[in-house]
Amino acid sequence: MNNKASFLSTASELEAIYEVDPRMGLSSEDVSKRIQVYGKNRMDQGKTPSFASLFFAQFKDFLILVLLAAAVISGIAGEISDAMLIIVIVIMNALIGTVQEKKAQTSMAALKRLTIPEAKVLRNGKRVIVKSDDLVPGDIVYLDAGDFVPADGRLIEEASLKITEASLTGESVPVDKDTTAITDPLTALGDRSNSVYMTSLVNYGRGQFIVTATGMNSEIGKIAGMIQGTHSIQTPLQKRLDELGRILASGAIFACVAVFAIGLIRGGDPLLLFLTAVSLAVAAIPEGLPAIVTVVLAIGVQKLVSKNALIRKLPAVETLGCASVICCDKTGTLTQNRMTIEKIIANDQIQNASDLKAKIMNGPEKMIVEIGMLCNDASIITSKDGVQQIGDPTEVAMIDLAESLDYNQSAVAMKLPRVGELPFDSQRKMMTTIHRVGDTWYSFTKGAPDIMLERVRYYFRDNQIIPMNDELARGLTDKINILSDQAYRVIAYAYRQYDTMPEVSAENLEHDLIFCGMTGMIDPPREEVKEAIKICKRAGIKTVMITGDHKNTAVAIAKQLDLFEKDSLAYTGTELSEMNDKELHDRIKNIAVFARVAPEHKVRIVNAWQRKGHVVAMTGDGVNDAPALKKADIGCAMGITGTDVSKEAAEMILTDDNFATIVAAVREGRGIYANIKKAVHFLLSCNIAEILILFMATIIGWVQPLLPIHILWINLITDSLPALALGVEKNSAEIMNEKPRSPKESIFAHGMGGRIVFQGMVLAAITLMVYQTGFANYNVEVARTMCFAVLGFSQITHALNVRSQKNSIFSSRLFTNPYLWGALGISCVLQLAVLLVPAFQSVFNVVAMNTAQWFVVFIGSVCPILVVELTKLIGHVMRKYFIQTKK
């Protein structure tokens, strides 16, 4: 039988379907046969790749393959140190990626840990305890307070049963259960009051159920299957670096073949031409780029740790930067995950609970607070380990209100000791306790306001007890509706007085009550979230609420956060199921709230946004969120309330469960991508300069101006150190005023490719002019030394140009990156050491220069700043002109 349809059947129908006698349970023979058919009640592990296979899979990246090819060519050409360095960089990157992916394999292990070890079951007419693995459909299982539900099933008996289904629905408030048949086949999982699900926790009461699904057929099992079937996708950064690798490889191959062919046509030495081609290949590949990207991402990870975001996979930091949609859970992320009494209805008025502290409470208000505190099984305990809340969240809220008004629960309970009680019952929807004060007894009752109003006879108003009539009841009902429409959970309070100890029965205690008033409680929004959502809007990021809560509650919270606007829509999971993919695709941009959703709905929502070309961040804490977390471009699990499964499926863990932390992470991600682009810009413009220098010299017929050791030194010292420092530039103040970039956007977009080529040509032209000056006036050794010197120093000064695409280097941000100035200083010192220290001069094949030669090198080294500053000025004037023209 289909597990989804079991809630539609009556208990007797299920007993017939599963051929089980509710008085005897299954026999041992029945169990053995059914295990053969249904299998064990456990999760399938699936195949997990070995460490070695994950390690070698890292070498599929195109840039890595290009780097390995460059290492082989360098080794053949005798540049062993260059080859070894490239190989070390590649292996380190592969190890980092392997370790990160290996961690993700623990998702299924975490699911397995959720399996409940034992269950109380009726077998052969006796109540026995068996391993949960051995449960089969048709088993009759007993539940008591504190138990975890060991399998999915349909209730056949219950007494005041309350179950927390947070791991499946995401909602922490316990659900009242009953045995009533449900007729609507589209009833959402969170509304199936007659069914129980594996891993849910019994908070209160007891029950019996018939097992209808086990193992991978359970709701948790379906989620496990979805996790196994959901594959991680390439991040935008990985796609851009792959694209970059192909461009670099194509350019390097073309340049090498062209130089070799032109040289042969001109009658050059084949061996020398091969070495020159190798030099070009070394110049074309930025060996330090993968390491720089890894280091920049790692630094970003450390920054985010201090901002309560733990990144599990390095590329996820950058992925956040282009997030255009954040699908966010309501409870605990947008809200405080703490039921709070905000409204009091007393004396025919709706007032703020926070105002009670500032005034002297009269009779009805005082009675509401005291009844809520005493007709209550919850407690708040303060110890050296912090504050611990024990019990139902709604009852905790009542005690929290009382304590905020300086009540002491223990002290009041001693003055008004409980001598009897009627526990809450899902049929009665009320709870009553009896308290003795001297020779007088009181019954305190709280419960659903509509039921309570039917049971009251008097109304406590303005310190007077007056008869309740239809007009008063209608007025109270109107106020109930006002609060309900605002998503408040309304609880009513009443009492009775007795001269003798009353009989403890609903018929006696819960009639002819004196009505005191009501409270409205809600899980309030986090204060900082509203501002965070405002920042998201400014940054062009759509925030979508996805929750297991009811639609009206979700919409009310969304409106308070300005997340639900004039043209916004809200849909339930049931309504979503009735919508085809095209309808969802057409409407999704206006849907701000999805309520009462199932796990498959969350994956479908993520899919719909991704098909529209968006980068989706998804938050979640329950097992039900894991498939969507894994499917999303960036999964964000909750660190406090999150399950192991959700954390293992996510790329990022929010240690404070706060939506505002996601926004801070997005800001950091945007900054990281901007800095990586600066590093790429700097490295490629320098590499293009090196390629053009060798290429043009070969075509013209000049003696090779740079030796392979010169290129290697420049790539390692004057390229890599400044590039690394550029990777830690401070974020621009305007970074969250920009729209998210498209995941399809090239790393060379917005004119960056043109700037890289132009600036590379500038560096090459300056270097070739200096080389020709030295060659014409001195000799090839001096010319090479001047060429090597000016290329190194001009690249160092060029690093300042790259800090901003539009703003002058002399702006207010000139000294905001001390790491850059440190890197430039170290590069200068090392370059000077090679040029000035005799021992290094012989190793690098350079000679000492005189004052005139150093002057030429100095002028050539500062020229890139002058040229680029001039182009920025021209660009600024042109932009200003076009803006004025448009106006």
Side-chain angles (χ1 to χ4, degrees):
M1 177 164 183
N2 186 293
N3 184 35
K4 185 177 180 180
S6 63
F7 64 88
L8 299 172
S9 304
T10 63
S12 57
E13 287 172 341
L14 285 177
E15 290 163 7
I17 290 169
Y18 289 107
E19 300 177 353
V20 58
D21 184 340
R23 296 166 298 178
M24 295 296 293
L26 297 176
S27 66
S28 300
E29 185 180 352
D30 290 333
V31 173
S32 298
K33 290 179 180 178
R34 295 188 188 197
I35 284 179
Q36 297 298 317
V37 176
Y38 298 104
K40 289 281 189 178
N41 181 32
R42 60 170 68 129
M43 301 296 119
D44 292 342
Q45 283 290 96
K47 293 182 180 180
T48 55
S50 65
F51 188 91
S53 61
L54 286 174
F55 178 76
F56 288 111
Q58 306 299 314
F59 294 92
K60 294 178 181 178
D61 185 88
F62 195 77
L63 183 57
I64 297 298
L65 295 176
V66 171
L67 286 172
L68 287 174
V72 171
I73 293 172
S74 298
I76 293 172
E79 300 296 332
I80 303 301
S81 59
D82 194 10
M84 291 300 295
L85 180 64
I86 294 172
I87 290 172
V88 168
I89 288 171
V90 168
I91 290 175
M92 287 299 295
N93 276 279
L95 283 172
I96 291 171
T98 304
V99 170
Q100 293 294 334
E101 290 188 22
K102 191 67 179 174
K103 288 180 181 178
Q105 291 181 0
T106 54
S107 293
M108 291 310 298
L111 273 171
K112 188 178 180 181
R113 288 197 297 272
L114 285 173
T115 303
I116 292 82
E118 293 180 329
K120 294 168 285 192
V121 62
L122 182 65
R123 294 266 178 91
N124 302 307
K126 296 179 180 179
R127 180 169 171 165
V128 296
I129 296 176
V130 301
K131 291 182 177 179
S132 292
D133 285 6
D134 296 329
L135 289 179
V136 294
D139 260 325
I140 294 178
V141 177
Y142 298 91
L143 294 175
D144 293 296
D147 289 347
F148 281 95
V149 181
D152 289 6
R154 166 69 160 84
L155 286 167
I156 57 174
E157 184 180 311
E158 64 84 25
S160 304
L161 187 63
K162 287 187 176 186
I163 294 182
T164 298
E165 298 175 339
S167 62
L168 279 168
T169 64
E171 296 308 309
S172 56
V173 177
V175 179
D176 295 325
K177 293 294 183 178
D178 56 50
T179 59
T180 307
I182 295 172
T183 57
D184 184 1
L186 296 177
T187 302
L189 186 146
D191 293 324
R192 298 175 196 169
S193 58
N194 62 12
S195 299
V196 294
Y197 300 98
M198 187 189 291
T199 74
S200 300
L201 173 65
V202 180
N203 292 86
Y204 193 86
R206 60 180 177 80
Q208 283 178 252
F209 71 92
I210 295 179
V211 174
T212 57
T214 58
M216 296 299 287
N217 292 320
S218 67
E219 292 295 334
I220 286 288
K222 291 174 185 176
I223 293 170
M226 292 167 72
I227 293 176
Q228 287 179 333
T230 306
H231 303 286
S232 300
I233 59 176
Q234 264 194 320
T235 70
L237 178 62
Q238 289 168 328
K239 293 174 183 176
R240 298 292 78 79
L241 291 179
D242 194 56
E243 170 194 301
L244 177 60
R246 295 178 188 279
I247 293 171
L248 292 176
S250 302
I253 291 170
F254 172 79
C256 291
V257 171
V259 166
F260 193 78
I262 292 170
L264 283 179
I265 292 171
R266 296 171 66 97
D269 180 3
L271 180 59
L272 182 60
L273 288 171
F274 176 73
L275 291 174
T276 303
V278 170
S279 298
L280 268 175
V282 173
I285 305 299
E287 293 90 345
L289 181 57
I292 288 168
V293 169
T294 301
V295 170
V296 171
L297 291 173
I299 291 171
V301 167
Q302 293 305 311
K303 284 185 181 179
L304 286 173
V305 167
S306 66
K307 296 177 181 177
N308 301 313
L310 178 64
I311 302 296
R312 296 183 61 251
K313 301 173 185 178
L314 287 183
V317 187
E318 178 276 333
T319 308
L320 273 167
C322 55
S324 52
V325 176
I326 300 177
C327 295
C328 191
D329 188 32
K330 175 183 72 69
T331 306
T333 309
L334 297 175
T335 65
Q336 298 175 18
N337 196 21
R338 182 174 63 87
M339 293 300 288
T340 303
I341 294 176
E342 291 191 345
K343 302 292 183 182
I344 298 281
I345 299 178
N347 299 315
D348 290 337
Q349 293 181 339
I350 299 176
Q351 48 191 313
N352 293 323
S354 58
D355 294 338
L356 295 180
K357 184 78 174 177
K359 70 176 186 178
I360 299 173
M361 292 187 294
N362 63 20
E365 294 161 339
K366 189 170 183 288
M367 286 298 295
I368 289 170
V369 175
E370 292 182 355
I371 292 171
M373 178 175 52
L374 292 170
C375 185
N376 194 313
D377 290 326
S379 59
I380 299 177
I381 300 173
T382 303
S383 65
K384 62 180 181 179
D385 299 324
V387 178
Q388 185 179 10
Q389 298 179 343
I390 302 171
D392 187 284
T394 59
E395 293 194 330
V396 169
M398 296 170 191
I399 296 174
D400 195 37
L401 173 66
E403 291 192 348
S404 73
L405 298 169
D406 299 327
Y407 278 90
N408 183 294
Q409 185 185 24
S410 299
V412 176
M414 289 180 67
K415 291 181 181 178
L416 294 145
R418 184 187 298 189
V419 294
E421 65 182 286
L422 279 174
F424 178 86
D425 182 274
S426 58
Q427 300 296 324
R428 294 172 18 251
K429 296 185 178 181
M430 286 186 290
M431 174 182 178
T432 298
T433 56
I434 304 171
H435 301 264
R436 180 174 180 175
V437 184
D439 295 329
T440 306
W441 284 260
Y442 291 90
S443 65
F444 293 153
T445 303
K446 73 173 191 294
D450 54 337
I451 303 295
M452 291 274 280
L453 285 174
E454 295 174 0
R455 309 289 182 92
V456 300
R457 186 174 180 181
Y458 301 99
Y459 183 20
F460 189 18
R461 187 182 70 175
D462 297 327
N463 288 320
Q464 294 181 341
I465 297 175
I466 61 176
M468 178 67 77
N469 56 45
D470 292 343
E471 184 180 352
L472 290 172
R474 280 195 298 272
L476 291 168
T477 301
D478 290 341
K479 291 174 176 59
I480 293 169
N481 292 335
I482 289 171
L483 292 186
S484 297
D485 289 343
Q486 296 174 16
Y488 285 97
R489 184 173 188 180
V490 183
I491 305 292
Y493 305 85
Y495 74 99
R496 272 187 70 182
Q497 184 176 340
Y498 309 85
D499 294 329
T500 59
M501 174 67 183
E503 177 190 344
V504 182
S505 67
E507 292 76 15
N508 184 52
L509 296 177
E510 295 175 346
H511 288 278
D512 298 330
L513 300 172
I514 302 171
F515 190 84
C516 297
M518 294 170 283
T519 57
M521 64 181 69
I522 197 168
D523 181 9
R526 289 178 179 263
E527 293 180 5
E528 65 276 19
V529 166
K530 189 170 184 177
E531 178 61 27
I533 289 175
K534 187 185 297 182
I535 293 172
C536 284
K537 288 180 181 178
R538 196 164 64 239
I541 301 170
K542 169 83 171 179
T543 306
V544 180
M545 180 191 291
I546 302 180
T547 179
D549 211 339
H550 293 281
K551 185 198 281 189
N552 63 332
T553 303
V555 170
I557 295 293
K559 286 179 177 178
Q560 289 184 43
L561 294 170
D562 291 338
L563 190 154
F564 198 91
E565 299 175 313
K566 187 177 180 181
D567 59 346
S568 296
L569 302 173
Y571 284 92
T572 63
T574 300
E575 292 167 334
L576 184 60
S577 297
E578 296 171 345
M579 203 183 302
N580 60 41
D581 287 343
K582 185 179 183 307
E583 289 173 327
L584 179 59
H585 184 273
D586 293 340
R587 299 179 195 175
I588 197 164
K589 67 178 181 180
N590 291 325
I591 303 176
V593 172
F594 290 95
R596 301 308 264 177
V597 292
E600 60 269 22
H601 294 141
K602 297 183 180 184
V603 174
R604 191 179 173 203
I605 292 164
V606 172
N607 267 326
W609 278 112
Q610 288 175 334
R611 281 196 300 270
K612 290 182 81 71
H614 289 272
V615 174
V616 182
M618 170 80 190
T619 75
D621 57 1
V623 177
N624 61 322
D625 296 316
L629 289 172
K630 197 170 182 184
K631 172 62 182 171
D633 299 279
I634 172 81
C636 310
M638 302 298 109
I640 299 173
T641 60
T643 59
D644 285 345
V645 181
S646 65
K647 291 175 186 176
E648 294 298 343
E651 286 81 14
M652 182 172 81
I653 298 172
L654 307 179
T655 58
D656 61 352
D657 291 11
N658 195 337
F659 177 82
T661 301
I662 304 173
V663 180
V666 169
R667 182 194 301 274
E668 195 62 38
R670 288 188 174 193
I672 285 170
Y673 185 73
N675 288 344
I676 288 174
K677 282 186 70 172
K678 291 172 187 175
V680 170
H681 180 166
F682 175 71
L683 287 173
L684 293 192
S685 57
C686 292
N687 282 31
I688 285 174
E690 295 162 19
I691 293 170
L692 289 174
I693 290 165
L694 294 174
F695 187 73
M696 294 305 297
T698 302
I699 291 177
I700 296 170
W702 290 352
V703 177
Q704 187 171 332
L706 292 169
L707 299 176
I709 194 170
H710 296 155
I711 296 171
L712 173 61
W713 176 259
I714 285 172
N715 280 356
L716 292 181
I717 303 303
T718 63
D719 279 9
S720 297
L721 283 177
L724 185 58
L726 284 168
V728 292
E729 281 278 314
K730 289 188 177 180
N731 295 339
S732 166
E734 303 297 316
I735 201 163
M736 289 301 282
N737 293 339
E738 303 166 3
K739 300 300 180 186
R741 71 180 186 279
S742 167
K744 297 179 181 178
E745 180 182 289
S746 169
I747 201 167
F748 302 111
H750 307 297
M752 180 171 154
R755 282 190 290 271
I756 288 173
V757 173
F758 171 74
Q759 292 166 13
M761 292 171 65
V762 169
L763 292 173
I766 292 168
T767 304
L768 286 171
M769 285 190 288
V770 170
Y771 171 74
Q772 181 57 26
T773 300
F775 190 80
N777 294 291
Y778 306 104
N779 55 49
V780 68
E781 288 79 11
V782 173
R784 275 180 177 159
T785 302
M786 293 174 68
C787 179
F788 173 56
V790 78
L791 180 60
F793 288 123
S794 64
Q795 289 186 356
I796 290 171
T797 58
H798 178 54
L800 297 172
N801 290 325
V802 177
R803 295 185 69 192
S804 174
Q805 307 295 338
K806 299 177 182 178
N807 298 328
S808 168
I809 68 168
F810 303 108
S811 67
S812 59
R813 290 175 57 86
L814 181 60
F815 297 107
T816 56
N817 186 354
Y819 300 102
L820 178 62
W821 288 103
L824 298 182
I826 292 171
S827 297
C828 279
V829 169
L830 292 173
Q831 184 74 351
L832 286 170
V834 168
L835 294 167
L836 297 175
V837 177
F840 292 150
Q841 289 174 348
S842 60
V843 172
F844 284 87
N845 293 313
V846 295
V847 296
M849 293 185 290
N850 59 34
T851 304
Q853 293 158 0
W854 272 108
F855 180 74
V856 173
V857 168
F858 173 77
I859 295 300
S861 299
V862 297
C863 275
I865 289 180
L866 300 176
V867 174
V868 175
E869 282 292 296
L870 180 61
T871 60
K872 287 180 180 178
L873 177 61
I874 294 171
H876 176 72
V877 171
M878 292 180 67
R879 283 192 300 273
K880 193 173 181 180
Y881 171 76
F882 283 123
I883 290 172
Q884 290 177 343
T885 303
K886 285 182 180 180
K887 288 182 178 179

